[in-house]
Structure formats: C-alpha cells, structure tokens
Amino acid sequence: MKIKKIIIILIVILLILGTVLAILLISKKNTEYGSVNVQADLSDIINQQITEVTDINNYYIVKNYINRYYLYLTKTSNENVITAEPITTEEQESINKQAVYSMLDTTYINSTSLTVDNIFNNIEQIDESTVIIDKMYFAPMTTNMSIYLVSGKTIAEATSEEKEFKIIVKMDMANKTLSLILGEMAEEIFDTNRLGDTLNIDTETTIEPNDYNQYEYNNISTDEYITDMFNEYKTYLISYREEAYSRLDNEYSSKKFANFEEFNEFVAHKIKSIVIAKADKVRTTQYGNYTQYIINDQYGNSYIFRENAVMDFDVILDVYTVEIPELTEQYNNSTDAEKVLMNIQKVFYAINDGDYNYVYNKLDNTFKQNNFPTLESFETYMKSNFYENNSIGYSNYRTSGNLHIYDISITDADNEESTTVTKNFIMQLLDGTDFVMSFNV
C-alpha cells in the first residue's frame, strides 16, 4: 500500500512539473515572436459577417466620403471645388491629385504603384456627375475597424452617361479616418464575398489621418433621414427616370405600368407637383423585414417607401394600385360611411394621376355600358368634366338598400377661384376592399 501511495505522489509531481514546463515554453515562444496577450487579441475581433447597413450615421459618413472622392476626381474647373474660390487649373489639378491619393487605402496604393504624380494616368477622371449609391453592405472587423462594400453609378450631368463602380471603404472609428480600395482589387473582394459571408480580407488595425481622409460624426435625426430619402427619390423622378423606375416595388410596378414608357408618361403628367412637393405628413410602421414610410406631400399625393436597409428602398406611388397593410387594417376597422369616403378618395387620387383605367374598372357594369362603352369615351368625359388636379369635399351621406351615397363637391386644386362641380357618388361595398360605383353624368 505504501508503494502505491508513493507511485501516485510521484505521478502527481510529474504532471505538475510537465504543466509548468509547458507554460514556460509557451511564454518563451511568445517572447521570441513578440506576441501580445492572446485573449486580448481575440476579444478585439468581431464576427466579420457581411450584413445590410443599419446605422444611418455611418451610412452617411461613407456616402459623403465617396461623394467627396468623386468631387476631387472631377476634371478641373476655374474654382476650388471645396471653397469655390478662384483658382488656376494647374493649382486645382494639384489639389485634386493630392486629395485623391490621400483618400486611397495603402494596400491599394502599394498594389498599383500609385504616386501623386501618376494618379490620373491610372484613375480616370470624370465629368461633373451625380453619384448614386445602389447597395451598401457592412462587416465589422475589429472593435475599431469596419469595412463597407459599396456599389453604385455615376451619371454625367451633360451626357447622362452612366458608369458603374464598386468601392471598398475602410473605416477606422478610433482615428475617425477612412480609406478607399478601387478597381480590380475592389472587384475581387465583391466577387469572393456575399451578403451573410464572413468577409475574407486583410486589413490594417489603423488608418493614419491626413488632410483629406478624416470625417466628423453627425447624428442624423429620423426626420432628416426621411426628408433626405424623399428628396433623393424626387431627384430620380425629375432627372433620372430610369433609376426612379428601377426603385419601384415589383408588385406595384407590374400592376401600374406596362413598361418604362408608361411610367415616364405618368411622371411627366405629375411633374409640376413633383418638383415642388415637400414631405408634409409621415406615418412609420415596422414590419418583419422592412420599415414602411407613408409620406404625403402638401397636395395629398402619397409616396410609400419600403425600406430594407438604410437608403435601400422600394417605392409605391399611390394608395390604390396595391394593398397597403396599414391602410387595409384602417379600412377594415372603419364604418361603412368611412369606407365609402376612403374609396372616393382613392378614385380622385387616380383621376389626379391620370389613371383613368383604375376608375373605369371600378364603374358599375350597367352604368358603364349605358354611358361609357369604352375606356376612351370615359377618358374623354373625365378630361372635359373634371379638373387636372381635383380637390374634393363631401356632404349629405345617405343609404338606399346596399348603396351608399355622398354629395361630392369638386374644385380645381390649382385655382382657388374655380367653379365648384357637384356630383352624387353612389357606391356598393364588395368583399375585402373592393367596390363598384357610379355618379350622375
């Protein structure tokens, strides 16, 4: 028994000595290779997964930096692009070269052998252009370093020529600095990384500040963000119709417009009100995978934004073509009299949009056959008897069996001194939100 105890004690001692020796060897190896605390390094690493951008403030930091880059990349003029002070072409080009070079990432500079002097031989300058961000993704690399993957296009203001771009933006939150990766290096990162992947990219731990790569953190309010989203889409409607068309909700677009040409005619019909439209009222609703903003301008026109991520949205331009969940719920909780009014309002939204087909399809069949056998005959009547932009009032609600009747007064929304037209609208409520109607001709 004593021998067994001695053997056990010896084994324990050997295990302890082995553990101590292993610790000493690891410590020696770390010292030789200059290692730091392993646990500290690991705690600084984030999951590095590529996701949609959800931070509004960081989105604008990256967007503004890219805008600034393209501003410096614009061919020289006779005034400083930042201060607007008079400057010679040579002086401006020198500033632009230094600025663009200073905004680039060191890994990109080293891989392309760029210098300040040769930079515009390797990076093509552009004419004055509008910069449009299509997609922006984000991957946190460490507690202080994040990577943004940005795709978009520049549209030349003089020629409307489009040039697509893919840019990688590195953000150093500790130094409040940024840097850009362009060209083939950026393309390769895009090609080998997808939304949901762990980002496969080497990155330095800091970006040293210079005169051109720093940023200020500004807190963007929700109201400012919504107004900017509204104004950005307005710009597309006014100047970049194809971009505006591409941003439409798929279901809405397929039901509303047969093609881009129909959309273009629709916008042209409403362009006067679009140009001066302002976000007047906003309703915000959070759904499972998107946020919905219903924005009404001062004329009551609706712009419905379904936001998937920051400034990544689909748009619906009326409240009657497709079902809007929030409005459908409101409709279902309303009285019959309120439902009829909501439907009449939809009808006049469509009339003001020039969407006579929607109204025609809501006419009672007997009324339609007796008065407007074709869509063309109905459209001719509407243009002759209603205004281009109608404003309505209502009174004297009554019922007759399953029919609901309102007296609707109609005036020209663009002319306060216009003649008031009164029509009796007769409506039958059907299943869901459907209805048919007639009016005195």
Side-chain angles (χ1 to χ4, degrees), residues 3 49 69 232 262 294 369 380 392 431:
I3 293 172
Q49 185 182 33
Y69 162 74
E232 180 171 294
E262 279 195 8
I294 300 179
Q369 292 168 8
T380 299
I392 65 171
D431 293 339

Side-chain angles (χ1 to χ4, degrees), residues 171-401:
M171 178 185 290
D172 179 350
M173 284 82 79
N175 287 327
K176 290 188 177 179
T177 50
L178 301 154
S179 65
L180 303 176
I181 295 176
L182 313 170
E184 291 182 2
M185 184 178 288
E187 293 277 354
E188 183 179 350
I189 293 171
F190 267 88
D191 291 343
T192 56
N193 295 277
R194 295 287 183 270
L195 189 66
D197 290 350
T198 297
L199 183 60
N200 180 23
I201 182 174
D202 294 328
T203 183
E204 60 279 314
T205 55
T206 60
I207 301 171
E208 293 302 319
N210 60 53
D211 290 339
Y212 299 97
N213 71 347
Q214 299 178 65
Y215 69 85
E216 292 293 330
Y217 188 89
N218 294 315
N219 189 29
I220 309 296
S221 70
T222 301
D223 288 344
E224 288 175 310
Y225 172 67
I226 293 172
T227 299
D228 190 51
M229 182 166 55
F230 177 75
N231 288 337
E232 180 171 294
Y233 192 71
K234 263 186 56 177
T235 300
Y236 298 158
L237 288 170
I238 295 166
S239 303
Y240 308 108
R241 299 277 171 83
E242 291 187 1
E243 182 66 25
Y245 184 64
S246 72
R247 300 277 181 139
L248 295 178
D249 174 83
N250 288 334
E251 180 190 6
Y252 170 76
S253 180
S254 63
K255 288 185 176 181
K256 182 79 172 180
F257 308 108
N259 48 44
F260 171 72
E261 285 68 30
E262 279 195 8
F263 171 75
N264 198 32
E265 291 175 8
F266 168 81
V267 176
H269 174 77
K270 295 176 65 68
I271 194 64
K272 287 191 293 185
S273 63
I274 290 171
V275 168
I276 58 178
K278 296 179 181 179
D280 188 39
K281 297 177 182 178
V282 181
R283 280 180 286 176
T284 304
T285 307
Q286 182 67 53
Y287 293 100
N289 57 349
Y290 67 92
T291 302
Q292 178 176 278
Y293 302 96
I294 300 179
I295 302 175
N296 291 105
D297 66 15
Q298 65 269 41
Y299 302 106
N301 296 312
S302 296
Y303 301 76
I304 300 165
F305 292 80
R306 290 178 171 174
E307 179 207 52
N308 308 301
V310 178
M311 285 307 235
D312 180 5
F313 51 78
D314 300 320
V315 183
I316 296 171
L317 293 174
D318 64 58
V319 296
Y320 57 85
T321 300
V322 297
E323 296 282 350
I324 309 299
E326 180 182 347
L327 300 182
T328 300
E329 182 180 358
Q330 179 184 343
Y331 183 90
N332 291 335
N333 292 327
S334 298
T335 65
D336 285 350
E338 291 168 338
K339 289 177 180 178
V340 172
L341 275 180
M342 292 174 71
N343 292 333
I344 291 173
Q345 187 65 68
K346 287 180 182 180
V347 167
F348 276 91
Y349 282 146
I351 293 170
N352 290 346
D353 284 349
D355 190 350
Y356 301 112
N357 185 60
Y358 171 84
V359 185
Y360 189 69
N361 287 329
K362 293 298 183 182
L363 297 180
D364 173 79
N365 280 332
T366 303
F367 172 77
K368 184 190 298 184
Q369 292 168 8
N370 291 338
N371 296 279
F372 309 109
T374 65
L375 173 61
E376 290 72 21
S377 63
F378 176 69
E379 185 172 338
T380 299
Y381 175 86
M382 297 300 289
K383 289 181 177 178
S384 300
N385 291 271
F386 289 76
Y387 297 107
E388 184 176 350
N389 191 14
N390 299 273
S391 178
I392 65 171
Y394 59 92
S395 62
N396 193 24
Y397 170 72
R398 64 262 191 206
T399 61
S400 177

Side-chain angles (χ1 to χ4, degrees), residues 75-92:
K75 292 174 184 177
T76 55
S77 62
N78 61 353
E79 66 178 22
N80 190 302
V81 295
I82 299 300
T83 65
E85 295 175 354
I87 192 171
T88 67
T89 300
E90 292 76 15
E91 289 172 329
Q92 184 63 68

